[in-house]
């Protein structure tokens, strides 16, 4: 059997550029984005760029959809809403997990959350709307 | 320590803010323009920012980062004294895929600010602002460096 995680990251240049990876933990997909200077937004704190965190959450949601529907084309993002609760600190690995709230024939609604130290303390939340390929 | 003047701050917004360090530099943002409540930045196309290598279409995340950073510029440009922003929330609607090979321009307008919160609308497009790739609505928390109004 092929590695399901390698499959869901296939063709995602952006995810590779920022070294985003995923693994299954008790059957649940956990995505990971290591700290690099390339995702830094505020060097004073230091904190990660809101855009980098939003992108990571969107990719986590897409990875989760791909895990659900292997060998399908990537779902196109219709829209995302990102809420920033606390700064994601520089120097730390950021994690994300996503939950499919509804998987329709054409539309999927996915929620994702990011954390660093404690999975129970989310730093950013995403609600995503995706168009599923035919 | 010498206080940062508004002129120095605006010079920072034109040079270091768009692409001097970190994520903006990694993505290759370029300064286009700014005035009191507006900001504009450009993202040149790069194949390693594709969301799907099959199509070469830019990843949604790159568009998100561009809109977030440009919205931040519109807020910072109109602040009474030098400071920084933190994004509270950001909503992006993708109207059509970005065209592979083409640069993306983002324009943001801060249409309301209170003492601490700024409200911004932004759009990203290739050539025609009336035909956007994505539109955004965001709110930011503003913090002044010296804690006093200029």
């Amino acid at each position: 059997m092929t590695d399901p995680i390698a499959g869901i990251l296939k063709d995602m240049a952006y995810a590779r550029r920022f070294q985003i990876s995923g693994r299954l933990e008790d059957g649940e997909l956990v995505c990971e984005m290591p700290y690099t200077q390339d995702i830094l937004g505020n060097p004073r704190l230091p904190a990660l760029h809101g855009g980098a965190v939003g992108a990571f959450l969107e990719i986590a949601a897409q990875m989760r959809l791909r895990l659900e529907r292997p060998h399908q084309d990537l779902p196109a993002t219709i829209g995302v809403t990102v809420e920033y609760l606390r700064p994601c600190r520089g120097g730390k690995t950021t994690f994300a997990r996503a939950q499919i709230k509804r998987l329709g024939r054409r539309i999927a609604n996915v929620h994702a959350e990011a954390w660093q130290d404690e999975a129970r303390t989310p730093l950013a939340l995403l609600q995503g709307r995706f168009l599923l390929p035919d | 320590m010498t206080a940062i003047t508004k002129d120095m701050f605006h010079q920072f917004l034109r040079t270091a803010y768009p692409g001097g360090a970190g994520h903006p530099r990694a993505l290759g943002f370029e300064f286009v323009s700014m005035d009191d409540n507006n900001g504009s930045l450009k993202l040149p196309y790069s194949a390693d920012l594709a969301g799907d290598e099959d199509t070469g279409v830019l990843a949604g995340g790159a568009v998100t980062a561009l809109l977030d950073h440009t919205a931040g510029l519109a807020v910072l440009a109109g602040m009474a004294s030098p400071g920084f922003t933190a994004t509270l929330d950001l909503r992006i609607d993708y109207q059509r895929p970005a065209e592979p090979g083409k640069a993306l321009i983002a324009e943001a307008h801060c249409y309301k600010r209170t003492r601490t919160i700024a409200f911004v609308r932004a759009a990203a497009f290739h050539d025609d602002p009336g035909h956007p790739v994505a539109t955004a609505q965001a709110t930011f928390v503003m913090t002044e460096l010296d804690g006093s109004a200029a």
Side-chain angles (χ1 to χ4, degrees), chain A residues 115-130:
Chain A
W115 74 93
Q116 288 182 325
D117 297 323
E118 280 275 351
R120 282 177 307 182
T121 311
L123 308 179
L125 309 172
L126 171 135
Q127 297 175 3
R129 304 160 282 284
F130 298 88

Side-chain angles (χ1 to χ4, degrees), chain A residues 10-14 16-18 37-40 42 44 49-52 54-55 58 74 77-84 129, chain B residues 22-24 26-27 47-54 59-62 64-65 68-69 84 87-94 145:
Chain A
K10 189 176 162 290
D11 300 329
M12 295 173 82
Y14 190 91
R16 200 165 54 236
R17 170 73 179 79
F18 295 103
Q37 292 264 333
D38 284 353
I39 55 172
L40 203 58
N42 183 339
R44 283 167 51 90
H49 197 279
E58 184 181 330
L74 269 172
T77 312
I78 300 164
V80 295
T81 307
V82 188
E83 200 172 4
Y84 298 91
R129 304 160 282 284
Chain B
H23 201 49
L27 297 179
D48 67 354
L49 300 181
D52 184 349
E53 285 162 86
D54 277 352
T64 299
D68 178 53
H69 209 59
F84 56 95
T87 315
L88 257 187
D89 73 78
L90 175 66
R91 176 190 166 119
I92 314 262
D93 290 294
Y94 295 98
L145 284 175

Side-chain angles (χ1 to χ4, degrees), chain A residues 21-61:
Chain A
S21 63
R23 65 192 146 80
L24 289 173
E25 221 173 75
D26 302 325
E28 190 195 31
L29 176 67
V30 177
C31 302
E32 207 172 307
M33 179 169 68
Y35 171 71
T36 66
Q37 292 264 333
D38 284 353
I39 55 172
L40 203 58
N42 183 339
R44 283 167 51 90
L45 284 174
L48 302 193
H49 197 279
V53 177
F56 176 48
L57 285 168
E58 184 181 330
I59 286 164

